[in-house]
Amino acid sequence: GLGLSFTKDENFGEWYSEVVVNSEMIEYYDISGCYILRPWAMSIWEIMQIFFDAEIKKMKVKNCYFPVFVSPGVLQKEKDHIEGFAPEVAWVTKSGESDLEVPIAIRPTSETVMYPYYSKWIRGHRDLPLKLNQWCNVVRWEFSNPTPFIRSREFLWQEGHTAFATKEEADTEVLQILELYRRIYEEFLAIPVTKGRKSELEKFAGGLYTTSVEAFIPNTGRGIQGATSHCLGQNFAKMFEINYENDKGEKAMVWQNSWAYSTRTIGVMVMVHGDNKGLVLPPKVAALQVIVIPVPYKDANTQGIFDACAATVETLSDAGIRAEADLRENYSPGWKYSNWEMKGVPLRIEIGPRDLANNQVRVVRRDNGDKTDISRVFLVEQVKGMLDKVQQNLFDVAKQKRDACIEVVKTWDEFAKALGQKKLILAPWCDEEEVEKDVKARTKGEMGAAKSLCTPFEQPELPEGTKCFASGKPAKKWTYWGRSY
Ligand SMILES: O=C1CCCN[C@@H]1CCCn1cnc2ccccc2c1=O
């Protein structure tokens, strides 16, 4: 039938797969871990891209495009960053019938592709800052459970790679980009995220420090890294000899950042807002914000109803609202309601004989089902107002649910209990890596180990003498912990 076979609370994994397919965002592909992004998903990606691309252009970042193929020499150049990732690198070994002399890697990320050329292009201090970004795909041949948008062997992202004369400039940009990622999640996807710093164990090994925006999925009790903004320090500058003659005539190495968000954002949005009727789209990223549906009754002025639907679409479209009418003759209004609810369209407008007679329309909200009759005289401002209310309500509900999952703990027992209850745990930590490894070891199991998610920039009060939850040593900071994707 039309509806879902699984409910979000009873069978989250099956529910998710069904929603992304039935809403026509994803088509499963015949290669494991690869998915077809259909227009209903691609339109969300494009709306975010328009915002983010415009914002980085204000920051004087320029777009470019580097090859997808990586020569083995440079890929292996960065020893400690590549070692952990090597199993994920996909290689081209043949063309046609013949083997390639030297296998060629497919980019899993582009530091090693780009930085030999940064070394060539950056000569003097006038060549700085160099700020490039590319919108592209990357390939990581992962083996852990593939999930559309969340974990796939190929995904779309943007990767920014910048180089500065000073650490101060790099530090500043890291946080400017992180704020853009917060806006992507909170202003567009209506998802609350926490800005913070990754631990030494969880950070990008090739960098100096990693900041991230962290989201949380209440249904699975798992944290998920939403986007990352790394300061690479001078590590890659040393490796790839990216230096310049500074204004004192000395040779100096550049300070670099790299930052990315990916199509994973779309999966988080599905998981957070979706319900048992299917996808729920935040209006800001909805390709279609209003669907207008005629509700003819016997022969009561059917043409008048269809004309009113068309006129309503025109009025809303002229006001910049993304609206369409579903005038298909061979589907009932009820079928259409279910279909567009499954696709997550924020508002439905119904026009029947009574609405026509009263020069009004009935508006139904997808997020909470509220029905409101509004006069066609005030149509645009009322619909705009309702779209804003849907956007805000989705954020407020998601934030309330996420906050309800946060558990502040002081001891190991409280930590273990909260973990079992699928909580997002805030705990005082001594900031020792050995202790972090110990937490992973002690929580290993079929649900996956707990790990540190981030140390939030907004630190609660840490009373003198507070002990680390895991080691009992003097705590230095509050850190979020939990199972994760
Ligand atoms: O996050 C980002 C932001 C954008 C640019 N790259 C950084 C760091 C990527 C870390 N990473 C992640 N998976 C990998 C997989 C295979 C080889 C290398 C890597 C790898 O370096």
Side-chain angles (χ1 to χ4, degrees), residues 300-301 303-305 307-308 351-360 376:
N301 197 353
Q303 190 52 50
I305 287 174
D307 294 346
I351 300 181
R354 195 175 44 75
D355 305 303
L356 194 64
N358 303 341
N359 192 32
Q360 66 186 38
R376 287 177 60 188

Side-chain angles (χ1 to χ4, degrees), residues 185 222 324 328:
Y185 275 94
R222 288 175 183 273
E324 279 175 17
R328 290 175 289 180

Side-chain angles (χ1 to χ4, degrees), residues 320-341:
I321 295 166
R322 300 187 283 269
E324 279 175 17
D326 183 347
L327 306 177
R328 290 175 289 180
E329 305 265 355
N330 49 332
Y331 292 97
S332 71
W335 185 91
K336 294 177 183 180
Y337 298 168
S338 304
N339 175 63
W340 294 105
E341 284 168 351

Side-chain angles (χ1 to χ4, degrees), residues 75 81-82 85-86 88-89 108-111 115 139-140 157-161 204 225 228-230 232 236 258-260:
L75 193 74
H81 118 250
I82 189 70
F85 293 123
E88 294 177 11
V89 178
T109 181
S110 299
E111 279 82 0
Y115 297 169
V139 173
R140 296 176 185 177
W157 73 352
Q158 54 67 219
E159 49 177 321
H161 295 268
F204 170 32
Q225 180 178 288
T228 45
S229 183
H230 313 282
L232 306 178
F236 284 91
S258 74
W259 27 271

Side-chain angles (χ1 to χ4, degrees), residues 154-336:
E154 176 186 15
F155 56 88
L156 306 182
W157 73 352
Q158 54 67 219
E159 49 177 321
H161 295 268
T162 53
F164 301 92
T166 67
K167 182 178 187 295
E168 290 63 35
E169 289 169 284
D171 290 339
T172 300
E173 191 207 55
V174 164
L175 296 181
Q176 286 173 324
I177 294 294
L178 197 69
E179 169 59 9
L180 291 181
Y181 292 150
R182 182 200 66 74
R183 293 183 63 192
I184 284 274
Y185 275 94
E186 298 199 341
E187 295 177 12
F188 284 80
L189 299 172
I191 295 168
V193 289
T194 302
K195 285 182 179 177
R197 186 165 167 155
K198 287 287 186 186
S199 68
E200 285 305 293
L201 186 66
E202 294 300 330
K203 77 174 188 183
F204 170 32
L208 181 60
Y209 64 84
T210 291
T211 68
S212 65
V213 285
E214 299 289 330
F216 185 73
I217 311 297
N219 280 76
T220 54
R222 288 175 183 273
I224 184 161
Q225 180 178 288
T228 45
S229 183
H230 313 282
C231 176
L232 306 178
Q234 297 179 307
N235 301 353
F236 284 91
K238 198 159 69 199
M239 216 183 319
F240 288 93
E241 297 178 62
I242 311 173
N243 40 48
Y244 67 103
E245 196 173 289
N246 67 16
D247 41 14
K248 297 185 211 81
E250 299 147 347
K251 211 171 195 189
M253 286 191 293
V254 301
W255 290 88
Q256 291 175 273
N257 294 337
S258 74
W259 27 271
Y261 81 96
S262 73
T263 37
R264 161 177 282 199
T265 49
I266 300 171
V268 179
M269 182 268 293
V270 175
M271 291 183 166
V272 166
H273 299 310
D275 63 15
N276 290 330
K277 289 182 173 176
L279 183 61
V280 178
L281 288 174
K284 282 266 190 343
V285 294
L288 192 52
Q289 296 168 317
V290 182
I291 185 71
V292 180
I293 295 171
V295 190
Y297 181 71
K298 291 199 174 64
D299 56 0
N301 197 353
T302 303
Q303 190 52 50
I305 287 174
F306 272 57
D307 294 346
C309 290
T312 298
V313 167
E314 196 172 347
T315 304
L316 294 174
S317 304
D318 290 349
I321 295 166
R322 300 187 283 269
E324 279 175 17
D326 183 347
L327 306 177
R328 290 175 289 180
E329 305 265 355
N330 49 332
Y331 292 97
S332 71
W335 185 91
K336 294 177 183 180

